[in-house]
Every structure is written in structure tokens, then in C-alpha cells.
Amino acid sequence: MIGLARATGALAQLGLWLAGIGLVLMCAFVFAQVVSRYLLGFSLFWAEPASVMLMGWFIFIGAAVGVKEGYHLSFDVGLMVVPASWRPWFHTLSDLVVVAFGAGMVWFGWQLAARAASGVVPGLGISRLWDFAPLIGGGVLLVLFSVERILRRAAGLRTRRFGDMDDAADGARDGTGAPGRAEAMLERKE
């Protein structure tokens, strides 16, 4: 599990960097489009489709990383009324729903991409397949990260969830602890 945690952690870190770079590039493209259109009197024909495509990438990659890190919102009202021993089962059920959703993104995203592949994105001159690539990529990451969460829970390892006050996984509330190594993140539940 340590090797899997390191690999998916590195993939999530890379995803965050790519999403951040995509967000900055999208903002730069939109700014350049506004400046060129309103100050210079001509339009950058590629800026809008490139910005929309980048937005798809950083949204779907960011959503998948949010699942891995346990930062997505959750509905915990039901968990308050069930015995504590049932809660891991409900968390796993939630992760299974996310796996199914991610698989649906991959399946239907692939079908959409295959149907649109013969078209061309105006302004970019590339296949419309690339309009749906973020959907497929994000779905693959959702499945991967959710399966990792299920495997961690099955092995009895700590799995962060939205609202945890211990982001560093060192046993201390936020802002009071030092981040640890991957082995520290895999400590057994208390």
C-alpha cells in the first residue's frame, strides 16, 4: 500500500501542478483576447477554444485530486445516527458510487469522443476528440483514486475525509503539526 500511496500521491501532485498551470494559462489567454480585441482591434481566434479546453482539464483533474485527498463535500447527517462500526461501510459505499460515476465518465466520454473525432475544433485545428479527453482522463483518475481509498480502508489504514482537522495526518489539528512521510500517512486507525 505504501508504493500505491506514493504513486497516486505523485500522480495527484502532478495533476495539481497541471491544473494550476492550466488555470494560469486560461487566465492569460482570456486576458490576451480582451487586450487584443478591445485595445488592438483584432481577435485572437484561438484564445476562446483553448481556454475552454484548458478549463475542462483543470476542472476534471482537480475534482479527481479532491477525491483522493478527501476534500470533496460529503453528506454526513446519516453517519451521525448509525453506530460508529457502520461508518467505514458507508464511506466505502460512497467511494463505490464515485467509482461508478468515474467509470461512466470514461465510458460515455469515450463514446462522445469517438463520435466527435472526425470534427475539428474551430480556431485550433485539432480533432474534437480533444474536447472530451478531459472527461475521460478525469474519469480514469476518479476511478484510480477511489479504488485506492477503498483498498486503504479495507487494509485498515487511515483515509482522509472532508472535514478532517488533521491534514498532515500526524495526529495533531491543522496548523499544529509537521507534515510527515508517506509511511506516516498510512498509520493504522486509532
Side-chain angles (χ1 to χ4, degrees), residues 33 43-53 116-132:
Q33 171 71 338
S43 181
L44 300 174
F45 59 89
W46 53 268
E48 182 184 354
S51 297
V52 170
M53 192 172 294
S118 62
V120 175
V121 177
L124 295 180
I126 61 175
S127 170
R128 290 203 71 88
L129 168 121
W130 293 104
D131 280 337
F132 301 101

Side-chain angles (χ1 to χ4, degrees), residues 123-177:
L124 295 180
I126 61 175
S127 170
R128 290 203 71 88
L129 168 121
W130 293 104
D131 280 337
F132 301 101
L135 183 64
I136 298 166
V140 168
L141 290 175
L142 273 177
V143 169
L144 176 67
F145 294 153
S146 295
V147 167
E148 180 204 8
R149 291 175 60 80
I150 292 167
L151 292 174
R152 288 174 61 92
R153 199 172 295 111
L157 300 172
R158 188 174 191 290
T159 306
R160 286 195 303 193
R161 292 186 33 80
F162 180 78
D164 281 351
M165 296 304 291
D166 181 18
D167 283 346
D170 59 1
R173 289 177 63 88
D174 287 344
T176 61

Side-chain angles (χ1 to χ4, degrees), residues 83-100:
S85 62
W86 290 19
R87 291 179 187 153
W89 295 101
F90 280 91
H91 296 312
T92 300
L93 177 63
S94 174
D95 287 332
L96 286 170
V97 170
V98 174
V99 167

